[in-house]
Structures are given as C-alpha cells and as structure tokens.
Amino acid sequence: MRKLITCLLLALAAASQPASADGEPGVFDYWLLSLSWSPQYCIDNERDPQCTRVYNFVVHGLWPQYEDGYPSNCLDVERIDRPLIERMLPLMPSPPLIQNEWRKHGSCSGLEAKEYFLTVERAHRALIIPAEYVSVDNYLNTSIDEIKGNFMRSNPALTPES
C-alpha cells in the first residue's frame, strides 16, 4: 500500500513531467494519488456539479507514473457505466472527471475499469486526510509545506518524497 500512495498530491511534480501517449498498459513504475482541494476549484467553477455540495480534498485521479514522465491515453476505452460512476462520486465528484481519468490514466493501468476504480478507493482509504482539512467552514490560508507536514503527521508511512 505504501507504493500505492508513494506520491500524494498536488501533482505539481507530475504536471511538469512529459506524458507519453505510447505507453504500454500495466507497465509503469509507481502510482501517484492526485488530490484536488475542492473549495479552491469551486471558487472558479461554481456551476460544476462538484460544487453543489461541500467537499474537502477529492480524488483527482490515480495515475500510473514512470520515473521520468507518465503514460496517458494508452487504449481506446469504453465509457464507464452509471453504477460505477455512482460508486465513485463520493471520492471523485464529477462524472466527466471520472470518465476523463479512466480514459487518460486508467487506460494505462493494465486493469479493467472496475478494478482500477477499486484501486482508487483502496488508495484513498489508505490515506488519512488531516483533521484540519476535513470540515472547513471558513477561508483557509496555508502553504504547501504546511499541507505536506500535516499529511505526514497524519500518515506516518509517508516520507518527505511522498
């Protein structure tokens, strides 16, 4: 499970790495669990279905990664069926996000859709969201270092590199 959550969020590192559209499904070095801070997203996207209720950190995706870069869009995949979308909405609160993550990243996992999303659920369950980010009723001003420290305190298995 440690390898599953080796990299946590803010996907800043992953976002700066080049994608490889010619990846082979199931061939990658590690997973990156990418989380998004929903309150900030909803400031700019009020009409998004995600913003009709209050979320804190939401799963943006679970991404297969290479040591340098990442595969994307490895296969033409079927659309996700409605029951699986419904199951994922508490973690990934937007049907278009779920579909996109399956197409772009799940298609490179080497897993069938149901198993990929079960893996997303397991990764999310293995990670404790720090208490200060669970029920945010007011504006929150923080830094990346503070977020990182809070996640490491709440999840002793995480390392600074995670």
Side-chain angles (χ1 to χ4, degrees), residues 27-103:
V27 179
F28 57 94
D29 297 316
Y30 63 94
W31 292 106
L32 182 134
L33 177 61
S34 176
L35 304 177
S36 296
W37 181 243
S38 186
Q40 182 63 43
Y41 173 80
C42 290
I43 287 172
D44 297 325
N45 299 279
E46 295 174 351
R47 293 189 177 122
D48 189 295
Q50 172 178 327
C51 303
T52 60
R53 63 177 270 212
V54 177
Y55 291 96
N56 54 51
F57 279 105
V58 296
V59 173
H60 183 87
L62 184 63
W63 304 341
Q65 299 285 294
Y66 301 134
E67 288 300 326
D68 184 23
Y70 59 94
S72 68
N73 302 303
C74 293
L75 300 170
D76 288 331
V77 292
E78 304 268 330
R79 293 188 59 77
I80 303 302
D81 63 16
R82 194 69 197 165
L84 187 51
I85 288 175
E86 293 293 329
R87 179 183 179 128
M88 295 310 298
L89 284 174
L91 301 181
M92 301 175 77
S94 167
L97 171 64
I98 294 166
Q99 294 287 357
N100 181 66
E101 291 304 301
W102 168 239
R103 179 188 49 74

Side-chain angles (χ1 to χ4, degrees), residues 136-151:
V136 179
D137 297 329
N138 298 312
Y139 178 79
L140 181 64
N141 187 10
T142 189
S143 69
I144 291 175
D145 287 338
E146 186 176 354
I147 293 168
K148 183 177 176 179
N150 290 335
F151 269 91

